[in-house]
Amino acid sequence: MQIDFRRFGQGLVGNISGQGASFLAQLAVQLLSVPVFTLSWGVERYGVWLILYTLPAYLATLSLGFGGAAGNDMVAAVAQGRREDAARTFAAVRSGFLGLSLLAGVTAALLIFGPAARLLQFAQPFSEGAAQWVAMALVIYGLVNLQMNNWALALRATDGFARFLYIASITAVLEMGIALILVLAGGGLLWAAVGLVAGRCLGWLATGRMIRAHAPWLAQSGWAFDVREARRLARPALAMAMVPLGFAIQLQGTIIALGAAAGPAAVPVFTTVRTLTRFAVQLTSVVNIASMPVFTHASAKSDKARQSDLVALNLTTALLVLLPAAAAIGLFGPAIVRAWTGGTVLPGYALVLVLAVSLILGGLWLVLANLVLAMNQHGRYAYAFVALASISVTLCLALAPTLGALGAGVSSAAFDMAMLALLVWQARSLGLLENGSFANAPQRSWQIIRERLPAIFRR
């Protein structure tokens, strides 16, 4: 009996294996980057880097939701045999975002080297006077990442999502590896940013080659921008745009607010503990994100049984990962962070406990949110997401002057609690959750695994 490795390149099994590779890549990047940056640069310079590094996250909102909406639409079109519709949508997305990225790059350059230069004065002493060039390099990095992710819609729609995940994993390790080598060689913020750009460009080119090999009919769809396609996708796209905006406000906005209210040195204390908790969320996402294209396909086919199976599998994964992880972080978090950073970051026990609770709340609502998003029903929570994220950042600004990093932790936990309540309500209204869904999920998941695991093996 042998393992059928072809199963790891397609379908739910392939998506899970690809997402697993992505998790391991992010884990390696985070475990290595934090101690290298803090020991090479010091906590304050690393804090400045983290503030500047928020730029790519904000650039992700430039898609205005059209990328995500088009991705769901293409998956449904291919599932229903409408290849021409999928090709037309991909051509419109690809051409539209290339033009948008060029416009955004020129606009960013004019602002960074013009009126916005004064906003970067805080970073000049820590970047040898090159803060503007660091910001511009990170803008380029963000725009290339936007192109790479939008090109990947072709792979997602044609059961090639796992292959893109492998490319993205290799790219993440490569770009950070280049950046860390440059930092260890004595490079500052600018060299680190240039390293990220170089690695991401290689990943972008690799994605294009994969599309031509895996789905040539989409690679040859042309670059024609169709205004009718843009109008058709406008409503779901607007709601989709709120999702990355909400993440950018809550995740990156909290960092900016904390740095403004408590100083750059407080930022690594909060982000290091939050990064530790994010490991568990990323592990949960191995199944959650991998199942999204399959869930969209099942929704397009009105396959209720398949949808229920995937909901159960996602809930089980979340419960099995988040609860033990939160307990471990709550007990050993401060010691782990001290050892991880070589004693340069010393978090308080209260901050660790608050973020451990936030881990459970945040991991659960994110699982439900992604399933709702896969149904193209994200409008049910997206606008509230942005509003709650904005309130969370405002709360951080109010608490951080007296509580420091703990203020950011409290505001994050309150935000996650509100989002979980919202998503449970919306998931129930869509029929994704029924009475006993959480309690029955493990038993149903085990039945799914027992039925499908033999398919991975062949005689």
Side-chain angles (χ1 to χ4, degrees), residues 368 372 380 422-438:
L368 295 175
V372 172
R380 291 172 171 264
L422 172 64
L423 263 301
V424 168
W425 174 42
Q426 292 297 348
R428 284 188 182 278
S429 67
L430 286 169
L432 298 182
L433 292 178
E434 301 173 354
N435 290 333
S437 289
F438 283 90

Side-chain angles (χ1 to χ4, degrees), residues 136-275:
M136 193 64 222
L138 289 173
V139 166
I140 295 172
Y141 170 74
L143 293 176
V144 174
N145 186 45
L146 182 67
Q147 292 298 313
M148 179 175 169
N149 287 331
N150 282 318
W151 279 21
L153 296 178
L155 297 172
R156 181 185 170 200
T158 55
D159 201 17
F161 187 52
R163 303 185 184 196
F164 170 68
L165 290 171
Y166 291 127
I167 292 175
S169 301
I170 295 170
T171 301
V173 173
L174 176 65
E175 68 188 17
M176 187 56 71
I178 296 172
L180 294 180
I181 289 171
L182 293 173
V183 170
L184 288 171
L189 304 187
L190 179 57
W191 282 109
V194 169
L196 294 180
V197 173
R200 185 58 52 166
C201 285
L202 292 173
W204 181 25
L205 295 175
T207 302
R209 288 180 63 86
M210 178 60 72
I211 293 170
R212 287 194 293 272
H214 177 74
W217 60 275
L218 276 174
Q220 298 166 8
S221 61
W223 294 78
F225 180 75
D226 192 331
V227 176
R228 291 173 299 178
E229 282 294 300
R231 288 175 179 170
R232 184 177 66 83
L233 295 171
R235 184 172 180 179
L238 181 59
M240 185 73 77
M242 298 298 106
V243 176
L245 179 59
F247 278 117
I249 291 173
Q250 207 283 319
L251 296 176
Q252 313 304 328
T254 299
I255 292 174
I256 295 173
L258 178 59
V267 173
V269 177
F270 170 71
T271 58
T272 303
V273 180
R274 187 175 70 176
T275 298

Side-chain angles (χ1 to χ4, degrees), residues 191-352:
W191 282 109
V194 169
L196 294 180
V197 173
R200 185 58 52 166
C201 285
L202 292 173
W204 181 25
L205 295 175
T207 302
R209 288 180 63 86
M210 178 60 72
I211 293 170
R212 287 194 293 272
H214 177 74
W217 60 275
L218 276 174
Q220 298 166 8
S221 61
W223 294 78
F225 180 75
D226 192 331
V227 176
R228 291 173 299 178
E229 282 294 300
R231 288 175 179 170
R232 184 177 66 83
L233 295 171
R235 184 172 180 179
L238 181 59
M240 185 73 77
M242 298 298 106
V243 176
L245 179 59
F247 278 117
I249 291 173
Q250 207 283 319
L251 296 176
Q252 313 304 328
T254 299
I255 292 174
I256 295 173
L258 178 59
V267 173
V269 177
F270 170 71
T271 58
T272 303
V273 180
R274 187 175 70 176
T275 298
L276 187 62
T277 64
R278 297 295 293 178
F279 289 154
V281 175
Q282 289 166 348
L283 184 55
T284 301
S285 297
V286 169
V287 172
N288 187 220
I289 296 178
S291 64
M292 287 178 68
V294 184
F295 197 79
T296 301
H297 189 279
S299 298
K301 293 282 192 178
S302 298
D303 188 345
K304 298 297 183 183
R306 182 65 163 158
Q307 286 179 280
S308 297
D309 286 345
L310 291 171
V311 170
L313 194 61
N314 275 274
L315 291 178
T316 301
T317 303
L319 293 170
L320 289 176
V321 172
L322 298 175
L323 295 177
I329 290 172
L331 291 172
F332 308 111
I336 294 172
V337 172
R338 283 196 295 271
W340 182 21
T341 62
T344 58
V345 177
L346 303 172
Y349 195 69
L351 174 64
V352 172

